Amino acid sequence: MPALIDMIDQGRKIPHHRPWARAVVHSDVWRFAASQLAETHWLLLGLWGDTHAVHMALLEEGSTGIGVISLECADGRFPSVGQTHPPALRLERTIRDLFGLEPTAGPDPRPWLDHGWWGLRYPLGARVGHPIEGYSYDFLPSEGESLHQIAVGPVHAGIIEPGHFRFTANGETVVRLEERLGYVHKGIEGLMAGADLTMAARLAGRTSGDSTVAYGIAFARAAEAALDIAPPPRAVWLRALMAEIERLANHVGDIGAICNDAAFALMHAHCAILRERVLRAANECFGHRLMRDRALPGGVATDLEASGIACLRALVVEFRRRFPALVDLYDNTASLQDRTVGTGVLQPTLARQYACGGYVGRASGRNFDARRMPGYPPYDSLRFEVPLLEAGDVNARVWVRIREVEQSLSLIEQILNQLPGGPICADVARSGAGPREGVALVEGFRGDILIWLRLGGDGKVERCHLRDPSWFQWPLLEAAVEGNIVADFPLCNKSFNCSYSGHDL
Amino acid sequence: MRKIFFESLIHGTLTEAPPSPDQAALTELGASLSRVVRRRIGRSLAIRQIDAGSCNGCELEIHALNNAFYDVERFGLRFVASPRHADVLLVTGPVTKNMREALERTYRATPDPKWVVAVGDCAVDGGVFAGSYACVGAVSAVVPVDLHIRGCPPSPLQLLKGLLALLEPGAAVEKA
Ligand code: SF4
């Protein structure tokens, strides 16, 4: 079995692609990569379209190898990866919708993000000036005695994002769930093309609002890699500080919301208080409750004053005083455990096959955290554990979050103790001519976010692809729900908490 | 559970803590809001939120209205699960073309009299997503809007202020 790096060495290496190599390969190498994915020798980090080309980001575990391979599609086609590796299916359907590039022998000819309303087809490719004719969407058939279907959404009953769920049930038991997404497709990658770095960073920070810091960092890192510049040390540490604050807010909010979906409102009320305290602290320290537009290419926009440090120390103290009692409450409430233990089990083999990141992957035994591997500063100077469980049920996803809250508290303390001084932003003026490419993998609260960027000679974005962790979690929710009762779907769904906006782009 | 429950009882509500400027503004806002709501519709105000393509940031802050710090139910503001129960539609996002029909249908499913509030910079004019092939832009291009609340996202306090402005005589169009 050749190593990923050998395969990339065989192809035509692209200069100015950082920090990992990219090579243009032949279709037989592309097919070989697909077969390696099918056997889970390598894992799929991303698959996206470009003008007359497709790119695939691959991860080789163990050797810490990441690489991007590209295939030129002169005839508008590329060998389907989804044919042998299901995690690629929706990504391929998206490439067809956006670029008009056809996956040869692709098993699913249905559109994905294109619902027939855009007034044109292939918006990032040929821009054919009319929508799909006679648009219809067929859900997968289910056959069997006494099956019935329940259609839910796109508008749901709570304050949540829109998406459609088609349940096929036998009595109360879900036989099949099929998701239909794309309702909040905003055309972010289309808006990215031609945007300057400032505008592009704003767009990246609005891909999924709950992960605005993580997206900001990922975009900044991709841009800095492309331009080959380094942000000042203080900026790097402040970014990590904001990232951990964001993780804390989301995790504690989720823990409460999951319990709420098991009709245990007390946890929800107390967790919501803690979440609000985090947002207020963020506002006090960085001038925005969600810390939006704070991580920028070159550094960060806001410095942390001495009063901010005190505020965050007080927040950590408050958490340490309140949170353990809530964890006890969760652990000792039998009626709550009855709902979460054994519900919505995601098998570890599936989590690995889908390279599923974040708490969903880690609750099903997938030991992956982008802060560790590939790793990025300042996490190499910080001590933290990556909690790992095998059970894969709602309960495990709650516990991974609980442990990560504790880790984030410790990280915040360590960062405050070691925060270096100095400037917070470097000049992003580009040097050298010709296109430059950068890629970044950053651990958001939900999992690893991949951003790939090509800057043109004028410093504007030519192509930017943003891959939310939800791409590899949504399909697994379908698997985890199977065999559960319909009434447990909200609980399972909340325990995954996938992003609609991050996925739909 | 009992321990936490009783502790919360003993420690009193969070809103009674020494009022920070934020907190004082909130109490005042809430009180006037609940007066206005009672006068105008004689019961609590039912709100239905619709995400028409938001990045989910606006939803996070709308959610926060329900936490113990803001606790909008005490002012007679209630989030309901169906547009058929709603007086107010809170619409977020740059109205993606894929959500346009759902927004129109939800609007039609809401009984009169109804108010529409466009929440967030996206809902006002498309925000950073304006001009995309996939977005309509302003909510007002799809359904009549009574009030716009700016912000990215607007804070819970800004949302409360907005709702008050909506119901204050003169601030909004009489629709009943
Ligand atoms: S206004 Fe801002 S927070 Fe609200 S949906 Fe738009 S981008 Fe997101």
Side-chain angles (χ1 to χ4, degrees):
Chain A
M1 186 179 80
L4 177 57
I5 192 72
D6 296 335
M7 190 186 69
I8 287 174
D9 280 342
Q10 280 172 23
R12 177 162 55 82
K13 276 267 202 58
I14 299 294
H16 305 302
H17 184 281
R18 290 191 185 85
W20 306 299
R22 171 165 95 84
V24 178
V25 299
H26 285 295
S27 58
D28 48 349
V29 177
W30 181 271
R31 281 200 194 88
F32 173 74
S35 70
Q36 292 295 92
L37 288 171
E39 289 165 32
T40 57
H41 292 147
W42 298 340
L43 300 175
L44 185 65
L45 285 181
L47 174 63
W48 65 99
D50 203 337
T51 323
H52 309 303
V54 283
H55 310 287
M56 175 153 67
L58 299 162
L59 166 72
E60 189 177 36
E61 280 179 324
S63 71
T64 71
I66 292 180
V68 178
I69 60 170
S70 309
L71 179 74
E72 282 163 358
C73 320
D75 58 351
R77 304 178 149 269
F78 64 97
S80 165
V81 180
Q83 187 187 11
T84 48
H85 189 57
L89 279 176
R90 289 175 179 178
L91 292 158
E92 285 183 355
R93 291 163 71 186
T94 301
I95 292 173
R96 187 201 294 121
D97 285 356
L98 298 182
F99 288 91
L101 301 171
E102 186 65 33
T104 312
D108 197 336
R110 296 174 300 170
W112 182 238
L113 297 183
D114 187 348
H115 292 195
W117 293 111
W118 297 338
L120 80 170
R121 292 191 75 180
Y122 318 135
L124 305 187
R127 295 184 71 89
V128 179
H130 56 82
I132 302 177
E133 273 167 46
Y135 186 93
S136 71
Y137 193 87
D138 297 323
F139 286 90
L140 299 175
S142 315
E143 284 172 24
E145 241 178 281
S146 12
L147 295 184
H148 65 282
Q149 288 206 332
I150 310 169
V152 182
V155 178
H156 299 298
I159 305 170
I160 5 171
E161 299 181 80
H164 183 89
F165 299 110
R166 185 65 61 99
F167 297 93
T168 305
N170 184 334
E172 276 200 285
T173 309
V174 179
V175 177
R176 163 179 275 162
L177 162 66
E178 190 181 354
E179 297 152 357
R180 187 180 177 211
L181 303 172
Y183 289 92
V184 289
H185 175 73
K186 294 178 266 295
I188 295 178
E189 294 190 355
L191 291 164
M192 279 280 187
D196 60 21
L197 273 185
T198 313
M199 181 59 189
R202 289 172 63 81
L203 282 164
R206 284 155 181 80
T207 306
S208 183
D210 49 17
S211 306
T212 183
V213 172
Y215 268 94
I217 296 173
F219 184 80
R221 286 186 57 79
E224 287 155 4
L227 296 169
D228 200 15
I229 55 168
R234 186 172 175 83
V236 171
W237 284 72
L238 286 176
R239 282 179 187 174
L241 181 61
M242 291 189 278
E244 296 311 317
I245 295 173
E246 181 175 83
R247 202 181 320 278
L248 195 60
N250 282 308
H251 277 356
V252 76
D254 276 359
I255 293 167
I258 294 167
C259 295
N260 198 42
D261 277 339
F264 196 68
L266 186 64
M267 272 293 277
H268 182 48
H270 282 276
C271 286
I273 292 169
L274 284 179
R275 179 183 157 85
E276 177 68 20
R277 289 201 192 281
V278 182
L279 298 193
R280 288 181 176 203
N283 192 38
E284 203 175 320
C285 296
F286 299 103
H288 192 285
R289 285 163 55 89
L290 304 180
M291 298 168 286
R292 178 160 272 164
D293 300 331
R294 295 312 187 259
L296 301 171
V300 294
T302 331
D303 205 353
L304 183 68
E305 309 294 331
S307 61
I309 294 181
C311 163
L312 289 174
R313 287 199 192 281
L315 178 73
V316 172
V317 169
E318 173 74 9
F319 251 81
R320 291 243 160 89
R321 201 168 64 213
R322 302 272 171 213
F323 192 62
L326 297 178
V327 176
D328 278 351
L329 177 60
Y330 174 76
D331 204 19
N332 295 325
T333 305
S335 60
L336 186 55
Q337 297 275 313
D338 184 46
R339 295 289 306 279
T340 60
V341 175
T343 306
V345 175
L346 172 66
Q347 296 301 339
T349 45
L350 274 179
R352 184 172 150 69
Q353 183 192 6
Y354 276 74
C356 172
Y359 43 77
V360 179
R362 291 192 282 271
S364 290
R366 180 161 184 256
N367 188 0
F368 182 82
D369 186 319
R371 294 174 294 175
R372 271 273 157 73
M373 210 307 284
Y376 47 94
Y379 291 103
D380 42 0
S381 326
L382 295 165
R383 276 170 291 109
F384 66 103
E385 281 164 27
V386 178
L388 199 65
L389 291 170
E390 296 281 338
D393 55 1
V394 173
N395 181 50
R397 289 186 281 278
V398 172
W399 274 107
V400 168
R401 284 176 171 97
I402 290 173
R403 293 292 171 240
E404 290 186 12
V405 163
E406 293 161 0
Q407 293 301 315
S408 288
L409 289 173
S410 150
L411 283 168
I412 290 172
E413 270 185 329
Q414 292 177 54
I415 294 170
L416 292 177
N417 289 341
Q418 300 177 49
L419 192 63
I424 56 163
C425 211
D427 190 13
V428 286
R430 70 189 305 273
S431 51
R436 289 169 160 255
E437 298 173 338
V439 56
L441 195 69
V442 164
E443 189 74 16
F445 88 97
R446 185 178 276 121
D448 48 297
I449 296 166
L450 177 89
I451 294 190
W452 184 86
L453 178 69
R454 182 171 66 240
L455 294 172
D458 54 359
K460 298 234 167 95
V461 174
E462 276 185 11
R463 173 86 179 100
C464 178
H465 172 64
L466 314 114
R467 198 273 296 143
D468 195 86
S470 306
W471 277 99
F472 300 129
Q473 295 168 339
W474 273 122
L476 297 179
L477 177 62
E478 294 184 347
V481 163
E482 202 184 304
N484 287 260
I485 58 170
V486 177
D488 273 344
F489 174 70
L491 190 58
C492 299
N493 189 23
K494 195 70 221 178
S495 74
F496 272 65
N497 191 19
C498 301
S499 173
Y500 298 72
S501 182
H503 167 280
D504 291 356
L505 283 171
Chain B
M1 166 154 127
R2 242 176 277 139
K3 200 165 140 241
I4 290 196
F5 199 62
F6 285 130
E7 231 177 53
S8 321
L9 284 180
I10 293 163
H11 284 133
T13 60
L14 286 158
T15 40
E16 284 172 0
S20 61
D22 217 20
Q23 212 58 45
L26 172 63
T27 316
E28 193 188 328
L29 251 179
S32 29
L33 190 53
S34 101
R35 258 199 317 279
V36 174
V37 170
R38 269 200 210 120
R39 195 170 63 233
R40 288 296 292 274
I41 56 178
R43 56 168 168 79
S44 58
L45 188 73
I47 303 174
R48 173 67 240 225
Q49 195 266 337
I50 305 163
D51 176 339
S54 137
C55 77
N56 79 30
C58 280
E59 280 63 34
L60 294 175
E61 293 299 58
I62 294 173
H63 253 298
L65 286 173
N66 284 319
N67 75 35
F69 288 86
Y70 304 100
D71 187 21
V72 292
E73 275 207 36
R74 71 197 153 122
F75 305 134
L77 300 179
R78 206 161 42 91
F79 284 90
V80 292
S82 165
R84 300 195 192 279
H85 305 156
D87 306 304
V88 175
L89 297 179
L90 279 190
V91 188
T92 61
V95 195
T96 58
K97 292 190 180 163
N98 290 352
M99 269 306 285
R100 180 191 189 131
E101 190 191 20
L103 172 60
E104 287 168 344
R105 284 206 203 176
T106 311
Y107 179 79
R108 285 200 297 271
T110 311
D112 282 324
K114 60 190 162 197
W115 293 271
V116 176
V117 182
V119 171
D121 289 348
C122 289
V124 173
D125 58 10
V128 290
F129 307 111
S132 168
Y133 65 88
C135 298
V136 180
V139 172
S140 59
V142 180
V143 293
V145 171
D146 298 284
L147 183 87
H148 294 94
I149 305 178
R150 280 202 168 269
C152 184
S155 67
L157 221 49
Q158 284 171 304
L159 288 168
L160 270 181
K161 279 187 197 151
L163 289 171
L164 178 61
L166 173 75
L167 291 159
E168 245 172 11
V173 195
E174 181 76 55
K175 298 185 92 192

